[in-house]
Amino acid sequence: MSIIAEHGQLLLILACLFGFFMAWGVGANDVANAMGTSVGAKALTIKQAILIAMLFEFCGAYLAGGEVTETIRKGIIDPVFVADSPDLLVFGMLSSLLAAGVWLFVASLMGWPVSTTHSIVGALVGFAAVGIDSDAVEWGKVGQIVASWVVSPVMAGTISFGIFLSAQRLILNTQNPFEAAKKYIPYYLFLVGFMISMVTMTKGLKHIGLGLNFQECLGYSTIVGIIVAGIGQLFLRRIKDVPSGDGRFRFANVERMFAVLMVFTACAMAFAHGSNDVANAIGPVAAVVSVIQSGGEIGAKSALPSWILLVGAGGIVFGLATYGFKVIATIGTKITELTPSRGFAAELGAASTVVVASATGLPISTTHTLVGAVLGVGLARGIAALNLSVIRNIFMSWIITLPAGAGLAIVFFFMFKAIFL
């Protein structure tokens, strides 16, 4: 208690700085999950992708980020074990933020698309198991999160596989693909608009004081989906079925229509990613703020301050603006060759998975989700379409992430104890 009373202001500043650093890593590394497929399919330039991501990542993090934040903040560590020593919890959260931020910084420099969720959960488990007590870790909750790391890529891959097969059957393999595209693409547009709207209304608006029941959300989301489909049709009408000298695509003009779709799915993926992954940066910050403001009490229920969401959202935007381009290349171009139709299927499948996870409060890895989605699209064309050596390297970086986060957190935890105690 005396440490918090004596150094509370300093600890609060450190929490905000480390939280912003961690959020920078989320933006710098995980922007590939939202934008890599769009850039890889050449539907967007890197500059356009980053501008779109900055807007929608911020909106997702600020409007819909609160639900998952609660799971990360309360679910990993049993508060009973730190009830009498709030100092240890504060040091642990600071060390977890710094550890995850350092690892994400290294991974971003190397161009590795690693999981920010892995990073922070590994750090939390590391400091709690070694610094407090192995029983302090809620292993059941950790197991649930670990299960989601398997479930999310499988689910995203399956959805993406199905979406791409539906596009093949309804559009690409028909007698007149261009006319079929004009007929069916508005339905895909409706799905994208509906999905973005549902997560905004069911999970986002409660943070700004506008609560709607589920039936009202369904009604409004249906209207938004119709509007998005209408706007998309205006763009589609400007695309003419003219002969193309582009030999890369069998249906170059149809692929241009899917490029229009990818702009919408890129927005959906960025929003979903922001809402889910902001928790990795602001969950520990919220725990530190709660302990310091309550004078050392742990476990007291308190609303998540909106300024903490702003710290996380701002950090994500800064990270993707300054260093997001590096990891984009790995996901967008190195796993499998992407065309707009394949990229659209991967993005919509991944976004759907992340939105469901955000709505249920489960902190999944968007990295695993999007890689799973891209793998699903690649498998629709056969195993030869996948770059297995790149996939192997990505899997190896995922395995390293957990122990790296845990090890760094343990070092930083004992460092903070030595400085302050």
Side-chain angles (χ1 to χ4, degrees), residues 247-277:
R248 289 181 308 132
F249 303 141
R250 191 175 157 206
F251 308 111
N253 292 312
V254 175
E255 292 289 355
R256 285 174 62 205
M257 288 188 174
F258 276 104
V260 174
L261 266 179
M262 284 201 76
V263 176
F264 288 97
T265 53
C267 297
M269 192 60 204
F271 185 93
H273 173 258
S275 70
N276 196 75
D277 276 31

Side-chain angles (χ1 to χ4, degrees), residues 312-331:
I316 286 176
V317 166
F318 186 64
L320 69 89
T322 55
Y323 219 77
F325 64 90
K326 190 122 182 183
V327 184
I328 281 180
T330 303
I331 283 200

Side-chain angles (χ1 to χ4, degrees), residues 53-70:
M54 284 172 70
L55 174 63
F56 282 90
E57 291 265 350
F58 183 88
C59 290
Y62 188 67
L63 293 176
E67 187 72 18
V68 181
T69 301
E70 293 300 308

